[in-house]
Amino acid sequence: MKAGDRGPSLRQDYEFFEKMTRFGKEEIPERVVHARGYGAHGDFECYESMKEYTKAGFLQEAGKKTSVFVRFSTVQGSRGSKDTARDMRCWGTKFYTEEGNYDLTTINMPVKINQDAMKFPDMMHAYFPNPRTGFPQASAAHDNFWDYVANNPESLHQVMWIMSDRGVPRSYRMIESWSINTYLFVNDQGKATFVRFTWKPLLGVHSLLMDEAQKIGGIDPDYHRRDLREAIDRGAYPEYELGVQLIPMEDEFKYDFDVLDPSKFWPEEIVPFHPVGKMTLNKNVDNEFAELEQVAFNPANVVPGIDFSNDPVLQARLIAYQSTQYHRLGANFQDIPINQPVCPYHNNTRRGAMRYRIDVDQVDYHKNSLANNTPSTTPPEEGGYEHYPKKVEGQAIRARSESFKDYFTQPRIFWNSMAPIEKKHTIQALSYQLGRVKNESVRQQNVNLLVNVDKEMACTVADNIGVEQPSGSHVPVTTSYPSLSMVNSPYSASTQKAGILIGDSFQDEEVTDVLNALNQNGIFTDIISEKLGTVTGAGGTKLKVDYTFMTTSPYLLDSIYIVGGNSMNQAKFNSDVAYFMQVAYKHFKPIGVASTGQSFIQPSEEKNLLGVISSANNPDFTQEFISAIGQQRFWERK
Ligand code: HEM
């Protein structure tokens, strides 16, 4: 509202004032860690009764379904940072059980960087952007982080996992995830068992290459969130098996790792993975802010039958989460719809900012005679929560147990377990990260630390980053476990994204047959050409173009099908197709070539191009191409 045609604005313009002041208050504090994330709704279905170990209601009978909400996140970057940062992927699952909310928090690595919660703020400060410059964003490739690593050697184990391919996942749909911390299962007889949880994706565990992760970070910072949303929209619901590893209480001291140490994994080969159910993510969020930004996970949210062990980091986590959630969401955050339990719940809280639940009772304390002692905590005999009477002993000290102090055996086992290609990528990642560290002493200190894991690896990294070869040698451990290598996880063509590079005058039947077969095998296709609109085959078939060579990128595709064809600007078309092929080839991805695309592969090289499937004189082309897509990468390609 203005005075006259050309202003000034009037102070009485209350509508503007209200709209603008409201807009200026739209942001809330982002999460101090895990600010960047995405998720979805789904169901968890129990495979078999776990009654023998836990009385948790959602694990009592085969076929029992429980609604869940999941949020995946990175750790270091801010809310607007890129999805493909080299980092851990954390994963909160809220089970809306009939006994209240159970929050299972997991990470796509089985070990934690700190053994002592006091170190968490230190570690995060070192990991965060430099306090003076405010960068780098969503990256550990800087002096402070590596200075921390070199001077806090317990961190080396998780750092090895972050530097491995696990640090740059292909998709949230393809990550494995561990509770890391040790919990207790408690059955209805009051018997407890140590338990750790693991999620395993049915599509297998797969990663990007470092080069891809870095480029995609610029091309499509929303790569993982888009991937998850698109898969659910297309009905290709991500599925994950939940398994438990169980250790009887009487075996607490049986292993050569301390069962309470979160910087050590429990090898599946020694403590078997026991599947207990499957989660299917089948509904996208309706509102990113209301659901994903306001969801609050807390490891302290457990249900009867699940309890806490003495794991010192877990104990600290029980305090850390709620405190920060009060800060970012306010006193009544548990009543926000996404955080509300589905079962009836009551407590004596009636006040606090943004109280919108209107309780009509007159008594908000316990014990009372005016309301028959209600509301009160449900007594254990009526299904209420009762803590397992854990044994505690010793004196209150600020120190770590001697049994936590082997920092190198398990990182060495992890190293031994990786396939040569995984080791190669890990060396590249270490060389990149440490290569960006300016302080030479920090670089040297880190190779002096890495030598404990593997001498040859540390020497190669030292060479790449221009410091002295480390003296000393790695710990003499030869153990390896297949379960720690990603190459042993399942492979599938389903939901892989194929780019169809196509112009006009393609062979109609040839292309439509291949497209139908890709579709039937659950492979997602993007039709890519010079312009949006349609391309037309020699016989008149029209195909709708999804992207142009400019609006998508070979980095966003898992495989390409080179159909080729005619274009108004043939030279540009050919060079764009050649570029897509070059990038796909360099990244070891499957390439299918139609009869009209033969000029893009050199006849003399044809037979040597591993993973490049030509349709020339090849009646099995479609099947071979689909199976190449299922293989995903051709590491042996020269
Ligand atoms: C000393 C150890 C740890 C501390 C102090 C800590 C602290 C935090 C804090 C402050 C948040 C933000 C909570 C919020 O604003 O809602 C958070 C979130 C989270 N943490 Fe931890 N954390 C620790 C270890 C772990 C471990 C071991 C795991 C899993 C194995 C884990 C998984 C998660 C997950 C999944 C989230 C939720 C992110 C989301 O809202 O999507 N954290 N943590």
Side-chain angles (χ1 to χ4, degrees), residues 178-207:
W178 289 265
S179 69
I180 303 179
N181 290 123
T182 304
Y183 294 81
L184 297 180
F185 263 171
V186 184
N187 70 12
D188 55 9
Q189 309 298 306
K191 183 171 185 287
T193 309
F194 290 115
V195 60
R196 283 190 177 187
F197 300 86
T198 310
W199 290 110
K200 286 187 191 286
L202 265 51
L203 288 172
V205 187
H206 303 289
S207 281

Side-chain angles (χ1 to χ4, degrees), residues 14 146 161 196 229 295 298 350 362 366:
Y14 181 74
W146 287 99
W161 284 80
R196 283 190 177 187
R229 244 197 124 86
V295 68
N298 184 349
R350 300 286 179 270
Q362 297 187 39
H366 185 258

Side-chain angles (χ1 to χ4, degrees), residues 29-38 70-75 89-93 104-109 111-121 123-124 177-181 183 262 292-293 295-299 312-314 316-317 320-322 324-325 328-329:
E30 61 177 38
R31 290 168 178 84
V32 63
V33 283
H34 308 267
R36 175 76 182 170
Y38 212 69
V70 163
R71 183 175 182 270
F72 304 101
S73 55
T74 53
V75 175
R89 295 301 180 284
C90 302
W91 167 341
T93 308
L104 175 60
T105 50
T106 56
I107 295 186
N108 75 328
M109 300 162 186
V111 291
K112 192 75 188 106
I113 205 160
N114 53 315
Q115 299 176 315
D116 173 357
M118 273 293 270
K119 300 295 297 177
F120 187 80
M123 184 272 294
M124 287 313 309
S177 204
W178 289 265
S179 69
I180 303 179
N181 290 123
Y183 294 81
L292 289 160
E293 197 55 21
V295 68
F297 299 99
N298 184 349
V313 169
L314 174 61
R317 292 181 66 211
Y321 288 62
Q322 200 180 50
T324 183
Q325 287 156 358
R328 71 180 178 88
L329 299 168

Side-chain angles (χ1 to χ4, degrees), residues 501 528 549 552-554 557 560 576-584:
L501 312 182
I528 303 161
F549 293 116
T552 190
S553 157
L557 304 167
I560 55 171
D576 283 340
V577 172
Y579 166 68
F580 271 62
M581 168 152 182
Q582 213 177 50
V583 175

